[in-house]
Amino acid sequence: MWRRGTRVLFRHVARREYSRVCPPPAKSAGTLIRVSNHVARLGPPKEGPKPRQLLSLPPFPGHPLPGKRSHEDGVVSRVTAVSWVKYYFDGIYDSTIQSHFKQGLVQMECPGLIEKEGQMKPMRKIRPSEVMEVGARVYVPVSVAESRVSRRFDCIPSGTLYPNADEIEYLQRRVKYKDSAIIVLNKPPKLPVKGNLPVHNSMDALAAAALSYGNNEGPKLVHRLDRESSGLHLMGRTKESVSLLQWLYTDFNKGKSSCQAWDDACEARYQRYWALVIGSPKEKEGLICAPLSKVLLDNGKTERVILAHQSGLEASQKAITQYRVLGPTIHGCSWIELRPLTSRKHQLRVHCAEALGTPIVGDYKYGWFVHRRWKQMPHVDIEPTSGLPYKLRRPAGLDVQKGSVLSKVPLLHLHCRELVLPNIAKFLLILDQKLDNLHPAVCSKPDILRFVASMPSHMKISWNLMSSYLV
């Protein structure tokens, strides 16, 4: 009986031949048997890999790139795609960027194809050696900027009256650039910039103790960041550099000087911030022109910045901000890039909260009501290319209670990432009328300096969490 049944069974089995070059496509099965913990269940087949979340780089500005030499012996050197991505993500390992190019994950918009309604713009893969054209926009996966998160806290203790040796060493490690005129450092969050009697270990007190580097006086503040924000902070080391930087950061109309290189370097100056906001602006990029005014609350002590009314009865200040959305909305939030064209107190926070209607995550002063609703509502985000909902996968080993987007009380997600400014040490010598013949070593220095700072730990965790949807 067994042999007869076996013979009948082998009669019904057909012989299948597979090709090594092109195997047959897999048949779509309605249900599959899955075994877990010695229990068999019927379930749908596993879903394929979802499209990666893409990050939009700004349009290629052309030649020359700020802070990078592109003219050699009068010949303009061409900028390739891999050079442009490495320039924008300064600080990311070259091997990481090269691997994204090898896997075909770096894409560019196709100008000739028509964009369909409700879908992303048609894109094509690009090679590392492809020459960039002015206005071309490159898209890379968010994973290119993922980084390991340190277990140490970013903010230094502020319970002592005078900074100790550990705090001085910590601040010196935050310095990214130092010359005879300026100091640029990556300010951690929760560190006040300007101290007063109830605030200890502020930036000016720590700088006087840790960043003098042999000078009689410590560096002076040129522009200020909020206590909760982080990023690149600029300080002047001498009286001449401080006065020149203060003139540079004023919003008054500046006349032309006798030095054309100085005028070109001043026009190239800018700052770029990265922020995580609740919601997403209606337009992917635009210009915010909304004047600001200061008011006192009912207690008469607390000052608040609001959008100025059109009546014009109260004093107001002109405030302009450029913004650009970096990627899609994930978990009810989206990453945006901000470029302030004026320097006003709480300008970016008020413009995001009141002008765009998307307050910054962790900004409870200007977006407390939206935070309360945002934490209570469920979020279902749709992937733009496939139309399927995202699925959150928390990376293993991350502590989400360190102020990230998933913690109960997130910290402020506002970071000054990029800073471009003139080479103050060089132009102080050029603008000095007493020095007619400069040393060749001084002339060989670049006219423009560019700095990029990494995000603090809580923003790195949020970045990795947001990009983990599609990994």
Side-chain angles (χ1 to χ4, degrees), residues 369-386:
F369 185 73
V370 179
H371 275 76
R372 185 176 60 180
R373 293 185 303 171
W374 169 58
K375 282 297 182 181
Q376 295 175 354
M377 63 171 50
H379 302 283
V380 179
D381 303 303
I382 304 299
E383 203 278 323
T385 58
S386 63

Side-chain angles (χ1 to χ4, degrees), residues 249-251 269-271 287-289 318-322 338-344 347-348:
Y249 277 90
T250 55
D251 296 327
R269 178 188 65 87
Y270 66 83
Q271 287 177 285
L287 185 67
I288 305 173
C289 299
K318 182 180 179 181
I320 304 175
T321 304
Q322 288 182 353
L338 301 168
R339 180 179 173 180
L341 302 183
T342 54
S343 303
R344 306 301 180 198
Q347 173 180 329
L348 300 181

Side-chain angles (χ1 to χ4, degrees), residues 409-442:
V409 184
L411 298 178
L412 183 67
H413 284 59
L414 179 61
H415 176 72
C416 182
R417 177 182 178 271
E418 185 178 1
L419 174 64
V420 173
L421 75 157
N423 192 343
I424 302 298
K426 176 182 179 179
F427 284 108
L428 280 177
L429 300 176
I430 294 178
L431 298 177
D432 191 356
Q433 301 297 331
K434 298 180 181 180
L435 297 180
D436 298 330
N437 299 324
L438 295 176
H439 195 273
V442 177

Side-chain angles (χ1 to χ4, degrees), residues 211-461:
L211 304 180
S212 59
Y213 294 106
N215 292 356
N216 297 329
E217 297 181 357
K220 304 299 181 182
L221 302 174
V222 177
H223 72 96
R224 302 182 182 182
L225 295 177
D226 297 338
R227 176 174 181 170
E228 295 80 8
S229 60
S230 60
L232 293 169
H233 191 72
L234 179 62
M235 308 184 77
R237 300 192 63 188
T238 61
K239 295 181 179 179
E240 294 79 8
S241 61
V242 170
S243 60
L244 190 61
L245 287 171
Q246 289 177 350
W247 174 86
L248 185 64
Y249 277 90
T250 55
D251 296 327
F252 299 106
N253 294 328
K254 306 178 181 67
K256 298 294 182 179
S257 65
S258 59
C259 182
Q260 183 63 31
W262 167 253
D263 296 336
D264 297 339
C266 292
E267 293 180 0
R269 178 188 65 87
Y270 66 83
Q271 287 177 285
R272 279 178 178 164
Y273 291 74
W274 275 10
L276 182 64
V277 297
I278 302 176
S280 180
K282 296 180 180 179
E283 301 293 336
K284 295 301 180 182
E285 55 183 328
L287 185 67
I288 305 173
C289 299
L292 304 178
S293 60
K294 298 179 181 180
V295 295
L296 291 177
L297 299 182
D298 296 336
N299 56 9
K301 299 180 180 179
T302 306
E303 190 179 59
R304 191 182 182 91
V305 180
I306 62 173
L307 294 181
H309 297 286
Q310 298 181 356
S311 59
L313 297 179
E314 68 277 355
S316 62
Q317 291 180 321
K318 182 180 179 181
I320 304 175
T321 304
Q322 288 182 353
Y323 75 93
R324 184 175 63 88
V325 180
L326 296 178
T329 303
I330 305 293
H331 193 64
C333 303
S334 57
W335 288 93
I336 64 174
E337 184 181 74
L338 301 168
R339 180 179 173 180
L341 302 183
T342 54
S343 303
R344 306 301 180 198
K345 181 180 180 180
H346 297 174
Q347 173 180 329
L348 300 181
R349 298 167 62 178
V350 176
H351 277 179
C352 288
E354 300 189 18
L356 294 180
T358 55
I360 301 175
V361 173
D363 188 3
Y364 306 102
K365 184 172 185 178
Y366 298 101
W368 65 272
F369 185 73
V370 179
H371 275 76
R372 185 176 60 180
R373 293 185 303 171
W374 169 58
K375 282 297 182 181
Q376 295 175 354
M377 63 171 50
H379 302 283
V380 179
D381 303 303
I382 304 299
E383 203 278 323
T385 58
S386 63
L388 300 176
Y390 286 110
K391 183 179 180 180
L392 173 62
R393 179 183 65 82
R394 297 190 181 188
L398 280 182
D399 182 13
V400 298
Q401 300 299 326
K402 286 179 62 177
S404 66
V405 66
L406 292 184
S407 62
K408 294 183 179 179
V409 184
L411 298 178
L412 183 67
H413 284 59
L414 179 61
H415 176 72
C416 182
R417 177 182 178 271
E418 185 178 1
L419 174 64
V420 173
L421 75 157
N423 192 343
I424 302 298
K426 176 182 179 179
F427 284 108
L428 280 177
L429 300 176
I430 294 178
L431 298 177
D432 191 356
Q433 301 297 331
K434 298 180 181 180
L435 297 180
D436 298 330
N437 299 324
L438 295 176
H439 195 273
V442 177
C443 298
S444 62
K445 294 182 179 180
D447 294 342
I448 300 175
L449 301 177
R450 177 178 180 265
F451 310 98
V452 177
S454 59
M455 292 185 292
S457 295
H458 68 280
M459 294 185 67
K460 287 181 180 179
I461 295 175

Side-chain angles (χ1 to χ4, degrees), residues 149-208:
V149 180
S150 174
R151 293 295 179 182
R152 299 182 61 182
F153 288 97
D154 286 330
C155 51
I156 63 177
S158 59
T160 57
L161 181 60
Y162 300 102
N164 52 37
D166 294 336
E167 295 168 347
I168 293 176
E169 182 182 359
Y170 173 81
L171 192 64
Q172 290 178 350
R173 292 198 307 265
R174 308 291 296 188
V175 175
K176 294 187 65 67
Y177 178 80
K178 174 177 66 71
D179 62 10
S180 60
I182 64 172
I183 290 180
V184 179
L185 65 143
N186 189 3
K187 173 189 169 300
K190 290 188 175 181
L191 178 63
V193 174
K194 187 64 176 177
N196 46 32
L197 291 179
V199 178
H200 305 307
N201 287 4
S202 59
M203 179 64 72
D204 54 351
L206 287 172

